[in-house]
Each structure stands twice: as structure tokens, then as C-alpha cells.
């Protein structure tokens, strides 16, 4: 690993950035232990507290994890798809609140991207995938759950559907879409949509998946997105409503 000279005030930040670059470049593999704090301090010509703070920064980014014991140290970990997507969800929420992204655009994006997963999901869905989708649908069918819990189950349903593709790259891309765009859509249409309509379409989608009926599943997906778009168009003064929902959401 080639080190650059540390020249600015935020020493720990610079060390963290250089280590992150080395990890992303593959100089440290997943599961590999990083050099010790003493070794890193000597390498960069800084104190151990500066190194320790840099490692904390990487841990906060879910890039390294500390392990105790004789065989312990700081090890490179693989961030989960949902953790990576979560960072983009807040950005999407902010863009909608500012009016930079319209719900029509979000629906259009979901239509193009989620439909691309259906053929693989229909072919690769395992018993475990089906069980996870059924579990999310069961949570949605509980009449006692809150709107927030219903929306969380909605996200879980579509996440499990993407898992059924059994394709790591699609999961990464689609987790970003699901975690960022579905909650934003739900915040807008919550007051005008009927839970029973969503549940009915989800139930039909699940049955088509079980039967490996990709074309029918695509039709149901389009119907779901058309329904959400229709309900959005029914909402009056939508821009003000989105801002209201976002203000409530951000206080949680």
C-alpha cells in the first residue's frame, strides 16, 4: 500500500480516507486483518489516538469491524446491500421534499427497474424466498399495524422479491431503489390508498411467483404502480402534503 503524506489538520480523516481507498482498491480483502494501530501509527507518522479515530470512522461506514482476543484486530467487512442503500434513501427523501424529484419520475423508475427483476425471480425463487415474501405479506395483512409498519412491510415484500432473483448485482442496485423510493412513494399516497388494494395485488404477485408466471407477475407489478400513480394524482396540494409528511418523518 502506497501512503501519501499527511498534510492537513484532520489527520484521522485523512488516514481513514487512505485506508478506505486501499480497501476499495482491493489492497485489503474482505475478512483480512488491517495492520495494528502501532503499525499504522508508525506508517503514517502519527499518534495511536489518531489511528484509532480513523478506524472508528471506517467502522461507522461499515467497512471494518473490531474483534477482541489474541486473534483480534480490525478486519475488513462486506457492507450489506441494505446498509449501502440506506445512505441513498435520505438523499432521495430530501430531493422529493425540495421538489427536485417528482412522484411520476419515481413511479417510472420503479416500473423500469423492478420489472427487470421479474424473469429471474420467477425462475430462481426458492422456498426460503417464498417464505420471506409470505412473511412480509402476513405483516401487511395485520389490521392493527400502523401506517409506518405497513410501509415497512411493503419495503420488505419488494426486497424479498428482489432477493428471489438470486443475483448479487441486481440486489445491490434494487435495494437502493427499494430503500430509497418506496418509502417516499408511500409517504405521499398513504392518506388516499387502501391497504386492501395493495394487499390484493401483492397476494396475486406472490401466487404468480409461486407458479413461475413471469408475464402475469409483470402485469400485476404494472397494475400496482398504475394504482400508486392514480392515488398520487388524487391527492390535492401534493407538494405541501409531501413537505408535511417529510417534516413528520424527519422528527422520528
Amino acid at each position: 500500500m502506497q501512503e501519501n503524506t499527511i498534510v492537513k489538520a484532520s489527520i484521522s480523516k485523512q488516514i481513514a480516507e487512505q485506508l478506505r481507498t486501499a480497501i476499495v482498491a482491493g489492497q485489503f480483502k474482505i475478512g483480512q486483518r488491517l495492520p495494528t494501530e502501532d503499525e499504522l501509527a508508525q506508517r503514517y507518522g502519527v499518534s495511536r489516538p489518531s489511528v484509532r479515530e480513523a478506524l472508528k470512522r471506517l467502522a461507522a461506514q461499515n467497512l471494518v469491524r473490531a474483534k477482541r482476543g489474541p486473534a483480534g484486530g480490525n478486519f475488513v467487512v462486506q457492507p450489506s446491500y441494505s446498509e449501502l442503500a440506506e445512505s441513498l434513501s435520505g438523499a432521495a427523501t430530501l430531493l422529493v421534499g425540495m421538489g427536485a424529484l417528482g412522484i411520476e419520475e419515481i413511479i417510472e423508475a420503479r416500473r423500469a427497474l423492478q420489472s427487470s427483476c421479474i424473469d429471474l425471480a420467477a425462475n430462481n425463487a426458492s422456498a426460503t424466498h417464498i417464505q420471506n415474501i409470505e412473511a412480509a405479506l402476513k405483516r401487511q395483512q395485520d389490521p392493527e399495524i400502523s401506517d409506518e409498519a405497513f410501509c415497512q412491510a411493503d419495503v420488505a415484500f419488494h426486497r424479498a422479491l428482489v432477493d428471489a432473483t438470486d443475483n448479487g448485482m441486481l440486489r445491490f442496485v434494487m435495494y437502493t431503489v427499494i430503500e430509497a423510493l418506496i418509502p417516499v412513494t408511500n409517504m405521499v399516497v398513504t392518506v388516499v390508498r387502501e391497504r386492501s388494494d395493495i394487499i390484493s395485488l401483492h397476494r396475486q404477485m406472490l401466487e404468480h411467483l409461486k407458479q413461475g408466471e413471469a408475464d402475469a407477475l409483470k402485469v400485476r407489478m404494472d397494475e400496482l404502480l398504475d394504482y400508486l400513480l392514480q392515488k398520487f394524482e388524487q391527492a390535492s396540494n401534493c407538494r405541501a402534503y409531501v413537505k408535511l409528511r417529510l417534516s413528520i418523518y424527519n422528527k422520528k
Side-chain angles (χ1 to χ4, degrees), residues 21-232:
T21 298
I23 291 171
V24 172
Q27 295 177 34
F28 295 110
K29 307 297 184 183
I30 294 173
Q32 182 178 349
R33 183 170 57 184
L34 295 177
T36 67
E37 290 182 4
D38 285 336
E39 290 170 337
L40 289 173
Q42 183 176 4
R43 177 175 295 180
Y44 289 108
V46 298
S47 66
R48 284 186 61 187
S50 295
V51 170
R52 193 172 300 119
E53 179 61 29
L55 293 172
K56 288 180 180 179
R57 287 175 178 266
L58 295 177
Q61 298 171 32
N62 297 304
L63 285 175
V64 302
R65 181 173 296 124
K67 294 183 181 179
R68 297 181 180 277
N74 290 282
F75 292 81
V76 178
V77 297
Q78 178 178 347
S80 70
Y81 299 127
S82 57
E83 288 171 343
L84 292 170
E86 185 178 353
S87 64
L88 296 179
S89 179
T93 302
L94 178 62
L95 288 171
V96 172
M98 296 173 63
L101 279 181
I103 298 301
E104 297 94 338
E105 292 177 285
I106 292 175
I107 295 294
E108 183 179 8
R110 285 186 60 182
R111 192 187 306 277
L113 295 169
Q114 289 186 262
S115 295
S116 67
C117 299
I118 288 177
D119 287 326
L120 278 176
N123 289 329
N124 297 335
S126 67
T128 299
H129 294 138
I130 297 296
Q131 289 171 3
N132 291 338
I133 296 172
E134 289 176 335
L137 182 56
K138 183 177 180 179
R139 291 199 297 276
Q140 285 191 304
Q141 292 172 323
D142 179 359
E144 301 300 323
I145 65 173
S146 65
D147 283 335
E148 289 76 14
F150 184 88
C151 292
Q152 289 169 2
D154 191 6
V155 170
F157 179 93
H158 288 279
R159 186 191 298 138
L161 183 60
V162 169
D163 285 343
T165 66
D166 205 26
N167 182 292
M169 191 63 211
L170 271 178
R171 288 175 64 200
F172 170 68
V173 173
M174 291 307 301
Y175 270 28
T176 301
V177 173
I178 291 167
E179 299 287 344
L181 301 187
I182 290 181
V184 171
T185 307
N186 286 339
M187 279 190 287
V188 176
V189 303
T190 292
V191 296
V192 291
R193 63 101 172 93
E194 293 290 338
R195 290 187 183 185
S196 59
D197 294 334
I198 302 293
I199 290 170
S200 176
L201 286 167
H202 280 179
R203 187 183 296 116
Q204 293 176 63
M205 291 167 67
L206 174 59
E207 291 305 313
H208 291 316
L209 182 66
K210 288 180 177 179
Q211 300 300 320
E213 299 169 346
D215 289 340
L217 180 52
K218 289 178 182 177
V219 171
R220 298 289 89 76
M221 178 71 78
D222 278 337
E223 289 179 357
L224 173 64
L225 296 174
D226 287 341
Y227 174 82
L228 293 174
L229 184 57
Q230 177 189 24
K231 291 302 178 182
F232 163 73

